Amino acid sequence: MQLRNYILRRLLLLIPVILGVLVLVFIISYVIPADPARAWAGPRARPEQVEALRERYHLNDPFYLQIYYYLKSLILHFDLGLSATTGRPVLTDLKAFFPATFELAFCALLLAVFIGIPLGVISALKRNKVIDHFSRIVALAGVSTPLFWSALILQFFFYYKLGWLPAFGRSMVDIHRYTGFILLDSILNWNWSAFGDASIRLILPSVTLAFYTMGYLMRITRGSMLEVLESEYVVTAKAKGLPQRVVIYRHALKNAIIPPITVLGVNFGWLLAGTVLLETIFAWPGMGRYAAGSIVQVDLPAVVGYTLVVAIVMILSNLAVDIFYSIIDPRIRVGGKAR
Amino acid sequence: MRLPEGFPFTSRYRILKKRLHPITKEFGLTLYVLRKSTLAVVGAFLVTSFIFLAIFGSLLAPYDPYDVKIEERFIVPSKAHWFGTDKLGRDVLSRMMWGARYSIRAGLVVLALAVPTGVILGGIAGLFGGWRDEVIMRFTDVFLAFPSLILAMSFSAALGPSLFNAMIALSIVWWPMYTRLIRGQALSVRETAYVEAARSRGASNWYLVRRHILPNCLSPILVTLTLDMGWIITATAALSFLGFGAQPPIPEWGRMVSDGRIFMLQAWWVSVCPGLGIVMTVLGFNLLGDGIRDALDPKLRRVTEVKWKQRTFS
């Protein structure tokens, strides 16, 4: 009950933040010297045609009225406007591109979580041993290497030099699309060669994308695990003669896992931002490339639409993290008063 | 200023010394802890050499970074050209030496704009609370909910792509993190007994900020600043890589990576070397930041303090 109220409250909080995001984007678009009507009308349009478009899309109005019209069509018709670069409604574009990006970011997140957190735990348990040094070096390399550069290097080695992995594009196999997520669709189609192709193409981009987050998670996990291992209740548990396994899993890990999970929500946002760079380099047909392209083309409806989607995803992932807290740590009761 | 008689040994001086913040008071200790850690020393070395390059790189560069010699394009790294030459026959090493200044300038400008904004807004939000807190934090939330790279890209696009505008765009993206950090610190300091004591003594808000809140925020800010330098350098390079930052022929490192990208197969060094430069710099700032964090960590400090005292006072 309490949890439901909390989720509802958080979802309501979405509204002002999204309004704010909208206002911000509209302010940016207002100062951009480019004229969207000209982009929509095409290069050979007559001035009166451009003017008519400008009138039709309320481009001569002040920006608070433009926001009003935008919101009105968004709420009444679920319409995000027309993209000048693709010539399709922005919502259709985003629907087409979202699965590719989500698949990439989610795979990267899984990789980062399932490598970064265990590595951090092992590193803390074997402090100053070889494995600790090794994983700390890997983590440092992860947080210090710019994404666009590691993407180029990995492409160079695994595609050009070794020829092991494909470096460009998403799987294009012809299967029935239930969801748009190729991995999921190929399982639903029971088509394992399609699944194999899709996952092989995912390897390079998702590993590159995961590299930073993995290093970051590993560092945070290691730090918090070290702190917990020195705490009194762990010492007590050890002194009681509990087996090491129990001490680590029951006592230490459950407490040490909180900080890395806290940053997960933020990290997912970084992953989404990272896709902008990665999709450009790996020719991945996702939202990030779409957004980068539309910024270059000053395709404002597309930029606004993309920003809205990402803002919503980011807020939802932070919410998911907060809910996950209360599952893992009974002391944290969401929505309740902090003790 | 006339020094009091018997200056360093007057009681006034001793009081003055006591009033200094622990970080400054025990600066020697901090340095000592820092020196004890090999990684921090490596980090400090990398950062120092980067700063050195940024200041003197243009004087030391063996070639002119803008000198186009088409007939000397794509020379393999050799004795004459340590990092080879790029598609226009320009010496990659010289360009990198000139380019260091752009990265460091970006880092400094972004921090100089973002940190004061964050400190002021976060300070107000944390100290006064109430509606000011609500307004500022909701405003901050909006910026935080925005995908930062996209926000920076659109600001950059709005202002026109150039290195300067990329810096402005990054500062617009960066301040919310400091607002959050300072607000959190201010909130926790506000509740402490010594602030309550000062308040009951009739201390003004400004006094509290100056004497209690800012000094207590100093160590987290210092750590974040160091780590953020690396971040900002990467972000500037990423913006330049996408074409929203430095424009050719400026030898900004991210731009150089992007310029060499299509020639990866024939001339890997054009992209790889500037990229390595970014990695080394960011690594340096990360190592130094970690070192500073450990050096300011009271728990780790206590252990080393004993040794330090034995060494200094024996």
Side-chain angles (χ1 to χ4, degrees):
Chain A
M1 191 60 206
Q2 209 182 16
L3 188 67
R4 202 178 67 192
N5 284 342
Y6 176 73
I7 294 174
L8 270 178
R9 205 170 61 95
R10 285 286 296 261
L11 288 178
L12 279 179
L13 267 178
L14 254 174
I15 297 169
V17 172
I18 283 178
L19 266 180
V21 168
L22 266 182
V23 172
L24 196 61
V25 189
F26 270 84
I27 292 174
I28 299 173
S29 64
Y30 212 67
V31 291
I32 284 187
D35 184 358
R38 184 149 283 284
W40 281 319
R44 279 179 299 173
R46 287 193 303 275
E48 57 268 28
Q49 282 176 320
V50 176
E51 189 53 42
L53 269 175
R54 202 175 284 149
E55 203 51 53
R56 185 168 154 211
Y57 289 110
H58 313 289
L59 289 172
N60 291 328
D61 294 344
F63 76 75
Y64 52 88
L65 273 182
Q66 292 187 14
I67 296 176
Y68 166 73
Y69 288 123
Y70 187 85
L71 280 178
K72 201 170 111 186
S73 70
L74 176 64
I75 292 165
L76 292 183
H77 313 291
F78 218 61
D79 181 12
L80 289 171
L82 206 65
S83 160
T85 23
T86 56
R88 290 185 299 182
V90 172
L91 196 69
T92 320
D93 277 348
L94 286 177
K95 261 189 200 154
F97 292 131
F98 179 78
T101 298
F102 191 81
E103 208 165 59
L104 181 59
F106 195 71
C107 280
L109 189 73
L110 285 185
L111 273 177
V113 168
F114 285 105
I115 298 175
I117 293 182
L119 215 56
V121 172
I122 294 169
S123 199
L125 291 177
K126 309 265 179 207
R127 191 176 186 180
N128 288 334
K129 298 275 168 57
V130 178
I131 183 138
D132 180 28
H133 291 306
F134 171 75
S135 48
R136 283 174 74 189
I137 289 170
V138 171
L140 255 176
V143 291
S144 304
T145 316
L147 195 65
F148 56 90
W149 189 72
S150 50
L152 284 181
I153 298 292
L154 288 177
Q155 248 181 7
F156 185 65
F157 273 106
F158 290 100
Y159 176 66
Y160 292 120
K161 285 283 158 187
L162 300 170
W164 289 356
L165 297 166
F168 298 104
R170 197 172 176 230
S171 177
M172 301 288 268
V173 283
D174 190 28
I175 48 171
H176 183 74
R177 295 291 164 86
Y178 295 98
T179 55
F181 299 96
I182 294 187
L183 286 181
L184 206 61
D185 283 346
S186 50
I187 295 176
L188 289 176
N189 278 308
W190 218 246
N191 185 341
W192 293 105
S193 69
F195 184 80
D197 185 54
S199 35
I200 270 188
R201 281 171 184 281
L202 252 171
I203 293 178
L204 265 191
S206 57
V207 166
T208 321
L209 190 56
F211 201 35
Y212 177 86
T213 311
M214 185 210 68
Y216 191 78
L217 279 180
M218 183 264 154
R219 280 156 58 101
I220 292 205
T221 315
R222 180 177 181 272
S224 91
M225 192 72 186
L226 280 179
E227 202 164 286
V228 169
L229 284 177
E230 278 169 15
S231 65
E232 277 160 6
Y233 56 85
V234 169
V235 176
T236 315
K238 269 188 205 157
K240 267 198 315 199
L242 286 179
Q244 174 133 32
R245 197 168 41 82
V246 177
V247 176
I248 290 167
Y249 289 106
R250 179 97 34 94
H251 295 266
L253 195 58
K254 268 196 175 174
N255 287 293
I257 207 84
I258 305 264
I261 285 181
T262 317
V263 296
L264 261 189
V266 186
N267 265 296
F268 195 64
W270 290 343
L271 286 177
L272 281 180
T275 57
V276 177
L277 280 164
L278 260 185
E279 287 176 3
T280 318
I281 297 172
F282 284 100
W284 193 260
M287 284 197 309
R289 204 163 68 121
Y290 177 64
S294 23
I295 289 178
V296 176
Q297 303 283 331
V298 213
D299 183 2
L300 296 174
V303 178
V304 179
Y306 171 79
T307 312
L308 275 185
V309 171
V310 173
I312 292 171
V313 170
M314 271 170 97
I315 295 167
L316 287 183
S317 66
N318 276 324
L319 177 64
V321 163
D322 284 355
I323 293 170
F324 196 64
Y325 268 165
S326 63
I327 298 171
I328 223 167
D329 187 349
R331 283 171 308 179
I332 303 172
R333 283 270 167 261
V334 284
K337 278 204 178 118
R339 262 174 284 169
Chain B
M1 197 183 83
R2 206 172 63 87
L3 291 174
E5 228 165 294
F7 165 61
F9 307 107
T10 50
S11 57
R12 178 180 283 184
Y13 173 70
R14 252 175 253 136
I15 291 169
L16 195 77
K17 202 176 166 198
K18 246 185 220 163
R19 283 174 61 175
L20 286 174
H21 182 261
I23 291 177
T24 29
K25 195 170 68 184
E26 293 173 353
F27 190 67
L29 172 60
T30 309
L31 271 187
Y32 179 75
V33 181
L34 217 55
R35 262 214 319 273
K36 277 271 139 182
S37 143
T38 325
L39 286 179
V41 172
V42 172
F45 171 74
L46 286 173
V47 169
T48 325
S49 32
F50 172 65
I51 294 172
F52 179 79
L53 262 189
I55 300 173
F56 299 110
S58 54
L59 298 174
L60 296 171
Y63 298 91
D64 181 354
Y66 299 107
D67 192 19
V68 176
K69 276 191 198 135
I70 282 294
E71 67 279 5
E72 285 182 12
R73 69 202 300 243
F74 297 139
I75 293 180
V76 185
S78 60
K79 241 181 203 161
H81 298 278
W82 286 8
F83 290 171
T85 58
D86 67 358
K87 63 177 174 187
L88 297 174
R90 297 171 297 194
D91 182 48
V92 173
L93 177 66
S94 305
R95 283 175 70 72
M96 277 179 68
M97 289 170 99
W98 276 74
R101 61 180 56 188
Y102 297 104
S103 301
I104 205 163
R105 191 186 296 162
L108 291 178
V109 168
V110 171
L111 288 180
L113 290 175
V115 175
T117 319
V119 168
I120 292 168
L121 288 178
I124 293 173
L127 196 61
F128 297 112
W131 64 269
R132 296 184 190 86
D133 184 28
E134 275 300 314
V135 171
I136 291 176
M137 289 327 284
R138 291 298 81 75
F139 191 63
T140 312
D141 278 350
V142 168
F143 276 84
L144 282 174
F146 232 91
S148 54
L149 193 64
I150 284 293
L151 185 61
M153 276 165 76
S154 17
F155 271 110
S156 206
L159 301 165
S162 77
L163 193 57
F164 180 75
N165 288 343
M167 291 179 211
I168 302 288
L170 281 178
S171 338
I172 294 171
V173 176
W174 230 270
W175 66 266
M177 308 188 200
Y178 283 97
T179 311
R180 273 251 166 122
L181 178 75
I182 301 295
R183 174 178 175 266
Q185 288 289 324
L187 275 181
S188 65
V189 173
R190 198 174 68 164
E191 300 301 320
T192 54
Y194 55 86
V195 167
E196 213 177 317
R199 212 172 264 219
S200 64
R201 225 170 53 205
S204 67
N205 272 327
W206 171 235
Y207 177 87
L208 288 179
V209 169
R210 207 167 29 112
R211 286 300 311 277
H212 293 301
I213 298 191
L214 271 185
N216 273 296
C217 300
L218 217 58
S219 42
I221 288 188
L222 199 64
V223 174
T224 322
L225 272 183
T226 320
L227 295 174
D228 266 9
M229 268 306 270
W231 255 104
I232 294 168
I233 288 169
T234 321
T236 321
L239 277 181
S240 297
F241 180 84
L242 286 170
F244 290 97
Q247 298 301 311
I250 294 179
E252 205 273 339
W253 292 355
R255 184 79 219 185
M256 289 170 70
V257 173
S258 131
D259 283 345
R261 196 183 137 199
I262 34 173
F263 305 109
M264 233 4 214
L265 275 186
Q266 17 173 178
W268 51 267
W269 53 88
V270 184
S271 278
V272 170
C273 295
L276 267 181
I278 304 175
V279 174
M280 285 299 142
T281 310
V282 178
L283 186 69
F285 279 109
N286 279 337
L287 289 174
L288 187 64
D290 285 358
I292 295 177
R293 174 170 27 210
D294 288 351
L296 296 177
D297 183 353
K299 247 193 246 160
L300 293 168
R301 230 179 141 96
R302 226 175 298 137
V303 182
T304 348
E305 194 169 5
V306 184
K307 280 189 219 153
W308 179 66
K309 281 199 173 134
Q310 281 168 356
R311 204 193 60 135
T312 327
F313 300 111
S314 61

